[in-house]
Amino acid sequence: MAKPIYPGLKHITFEEASLLARVCREDGDDTKRTEELLACIDDCLDIQKNAKPTDNRCETINALEGRIVQADIFCKT
């Protein structure tokens, strides 16, 4: 049986989202930052899943990098 997916995401389960939220809370991240991190990870998983073996790897890597930079998850506020 498939595990339930977290609402609003395509690939991350409730269990995975709960674990990440707990870690983020322990690290002092707020809810908005945690949600952005979850969305970023989910989008990156989607980019990887949709990449075809015939696709240019550099384009896939650039798409992943672009999404991570857009998330602005490296700067603690």
Side-chain angles (χ1 to χ4, degrees):
M1 183 174 172
K3 293 183 179 184
I5 300 297
Y6 191 81
L9 302 177
K10 297 177 187 175
H11 306 285
I12 298 176
T13 65
F14 275 108
E15 185 178 341
E16 294 164 337
S18 175
L19 177 63
L20 181 63
R22 189 170 36 244
V23 170
C24 287
R25 189 172 39 250
E26 289 173 3
D27 285 349
D29 293 330
D30 62 8
T31 303
K32 182 178 178 185
R33 186 177 180 86
T34 302
E35 288 174 351
E36 179 59 33
L37 181 59
L38 277 168
C40 179
I41 293 169
D42 195 62
D43 289 346
C44 287
L45 289 170
D46 198 46
I47 291 167
Q48 289 178 323
K49 182 179 179 184
N50 291 326
K52 297 172 182 51
T54 57
D55 288 349
N56 182 341
R57 284 184 45 188
C58 289
E59 290 177 14
T60 302
I61 291 169
N62 288 340
L64 289 168
E65 289 175 347
R67 179 57 184 102
I68 292 167
V69 168
Q70 177 190 0
D72 193 29
I73 56 176
F74 295 112
C75 301
K76 283 247 182 197
T77 55

